Amino acid sequence: MTGSTFQFDFKDLKLAVSQVESVMGYKEGESQETISELVSEVLKEAEEICTMKAEYRFFDDIAFDEAEKTVTINGLVFQIKKIIYSQIKKSDSAALFLCTAGEEIGARSKKSMKEGDLLRGYIYDVVGSEAVEAAADLMQDQLEREINALGKGITNRFSPGYCGWLVAEQHKLFQLLTDNFCEIKLSSSALMYPMKSISGIIGIGKNVKRHPYTCSLCDMKDCIYRRSKA
Amino acid sequence: MDDILSKISSCVEFGKIDKASPYPPDMKGQDGADELTRKAIDDGMKPGDILEKALIPAMAIVGDKFSRKEIYVPQMLMAAKSMSSAMKHLKPFFQSGEAKRKGKFIIGTVAGDLHDIGKNLVAMMIEGGGWEVIDLGVDVGTDKFIKAIDENPGAVIGLSALLTTTMENMKKTVTAIREKKSGIKILVGGAPVTKEYCEKIGADYYSPDPQGAVNYLNQIVS
Ligand code: B12
């Protein structure tokens, strides 16, 4: 079984102050100077403390069950439910991935909050979340280039806990990603540690497509991360 | 309203912590909630009045603005911080019994879950609503909640969870509290929690945001 591992420089993520502010709710130009200054300070600090890592592994032994809306990978059955099923069912192989921003940014968030610097604590938290997503984007771009070179395409990435796929299925995912490069640990309640981590699946095949945004597939209409309000 | 009370109130509403704090820009160089509260007390103002006529109403405005999405988390946090800078001057009066809060509120993120941003926001807003908040932290097991209830009779409980898997532990905690204690009000919240889930597990109230919880608490003590 093959795959790839990555270590990114925080700077490569190209996180902008405005992007962090937009996740916090602000429209361009609406944020206060004090907040913008703090965000840029935290972004600078994040360059030193975030250890951005990602990994994907390829799995060729996959089978789909249309009636059950499941995918079986190396004999483990994943109940991915209909939305994700419809997006990846034409895949002939799959990549399972993990990505993390490391422990430290989460630790600083907690520490700041404890010491009463609530705003700074919150900004660490948002930066950590944005960083891990941005790193996953870079990882996915690299995967796409690798797969395109073989004349195939990839799907969007999908995570347990989204679109009806239960978070508890993380346990199976981690069974297939033993000794992971990101050094993420999964708790019995299916929580990943470091907190700023994500996991999931990407379909691979001649007849699959990566859409610009997946938000329209999801039913969390009020999500702060929703890219289009449609 | 007394001039100083209305000044304290607007400091809290707009997040002006103390004289040194640069935010908000139009209040630069002026006294903040910290100095004004000290001054009010030194001038003989009743601590209870500062709490009830300045701090609580200001935080209620902040909470409502947040619910209506007119302000975002950062402004709410600045308001909360300036409220605590005022509150620190009131604490001795709470301890001596000279000023009273509305009651006690015990909050924690349930077992198996480490999320705390949402829980912290709720804790701060409820403190700003005039309650004494006992924050048990994250990954709080049922026993710890029960112990806290024993130590703080009459307290209201708040449970937070961010994953559907840990939401199951919310159910376990509610069930155990119901079995062992009677008459305890339990509030629940967190991204995956819904009103339906709240009813299903036998909790008393669900709120998607902090202000809803504050309003509910006000209702039980009124
Ligand atoms: C940012 C985010 C992340 C970040 C950071 C996570 C972290 N906490 O550090 C990243 C990208 C790393 C991430 C990862 C994952 N996430 Co995520 N994430 C979110 C997101 C978009 C926002 C969470 C947040 O910070 N909100 C801001 C805070 C302030 O809000 P809050 O905690 O909800 O609290 C508010 C209210 O809920 C309420 N409240 C909270 N507690 C209480 C208590 C009481 C008593 C009351 C009255 C009110 C109340 O008041 C608060 C203030 O308004 C949510 C979706 C969403 N829009 O909520 C998903 C969400 C939480 N994630 C989800 C999932 C599934 C995951 C992953 C499992 C996905 C994966 N497989 O990779 C991982 C798990 C990570 C881990 N460590 O195990 C799901 C969880 C639901 C579920 N299915 O279990 C959500 C809900 C998205 C969804 N699918 O609907 N995530």
Side-chain angles (χ1 to χ4, degrees), chain A residues 122 125 129 132-133 159-163 165 167 170 190-200 220 222-225, chain B residues 66 73 76 105 107 115 117-119 121-122 158-165 187-192 206-210 213:
Chain A
Y122 172 66
D125 187 83
S129 303
V132 66
E133 293 287 358
S159 297
Y162 279 78
C163 305
W165 187 9
V167 195
Q170 288 268 57
L191 191 71
M192 288 181 280
Y193 193 82
M195 290 293 285
K196 298 301 173 192
S197 302
I198 55 173
S199 67
M220 268 196 81
D222 291 327
C223 179
I224 48 171
Y225 280 71
Chain B
F66 180 75
V73 175
M76 185 157 76
F105 183 73
I107 190 166
H115 289 95
I117 297 278
K119 177 215 56 161
L121 285 177
V122 175
L159 307 175
S160 180
L162 219 76
L163 292 180
T164 45
T165 41
L187 278 71
V188 293
Y206 159 78
S207 171
D209 55 44

Side-chain angles (χ1 to χ4, degrees), chain B residues 3 8 51 59 67 76 95 97 105 107 122 128 134 136 139 156-157 160 163 165 169 173-174 200 204 210-211:
Chain B
D3 189 39
I8 295 176
L51 180 68
M59 288 303 278
S67 299
M76 185 157 76
Q95 269 147 14
F105 183 73
I107 190 166
V122 175
I134 298 152
L136 300 178
D139 192 12
V156 179
I157 309 296
S160 180
L163 292 180
T165 41
N169 294 333
T173 299
V174 173
K200 195 177 127 201
D204 295 290
Q211 197 54 32

Side-chain angles (χ1 to χ4, degrees), chain B residues 144-216:
Chain B
K144 208 166 164 188
F145 278 111
I146 303 271
K147 190 164 164 262
I149 295 172
D150 285 335
E151 289 166 1
N152 301 285
V156 179
I157 309 296
L159 307 175
S160 180
L162 219 76
L163 292 180
T164 45
T165 41
T166 55
M167 207 165 76
E168 289 299 308
N169 294 333
M170 189 174 253
K171 181 174 167 198
K172 285 186 195 151
T173 299
V174 173
T175 309
I177 295 175
R178 294 286 182 241
E179 272 168 14
K180 296 192 176 132
K181 307 275 162 195
S182 59
I184 306 256
K185 296 276 186 219
I186 309 175
L187 278 71
V188 293
V193 183
T194 58
K195 187 165 174 276
E196 290 68 37
Y197 188 74
C198 165
E199 282 162 11
K200 195 177 127 201
I201 64 173
D204 295 290
Y205 194 71
Y206 159 78
S207 171
D209 55 44
Q211 197 54 32
V214 174
N215 295 343
Y216 174 78

Side-chain angles (χ1 to χ4, degrees), chain A residues 24-27 30 32-35 109-110 113 116-119 121-122 125 166-168 187 189-193 195 220 222, chain B residues 22-25 69 72-75 77-78 80-81 84 111-117 120-121 124 138 163-166 169 191:
Chain A
M24 301 194 301
Y26 298 99
K27 289 174 201 77
E30 205 183 45
Q32 302 277 355
E33 206 182 307
T34 339
I35 297 175
S109 167
K110 281 201 174 6
M113 285 243 158
D117 198 344
L118 309 168
L119 182 54
Y122 172 66
D125 187 83
L166 295 183
V167 195
S187 76
S189 55
L191 191 71
M192 288 181 280
Y193 193 82
M195 290 293 285
M220 268 196 81
D222 291 327
Chain B
Y23 180 88
K69 299 194 169 71
Y72 310 112
V73 175
Q75 284 132 298
L77 292 174
M78 309 252 236
K81 194 165 175 185
S84 13
D113 203 325
L114 300 174
H115 289 95
D116 65 354
I117 297 278
N120 293 349
L121 285 177
M124 279 166 346
V138 295
L163 292 180
T164 45
T165 41
T166 55
N169 294 333

Side-chain angles (χ1 to χ4, degrees), chain A residues 16-32:
Chain A
V17 172
S18 60
Q19 182 183 344
V20 176
E21 288 175 345
S22 116
V23 174
M24 301 194 301
Y26 298 99
K27 289 174 201 77
E28 189 82 48
E30 205 183 45
S31 168
Q32 302 277 355

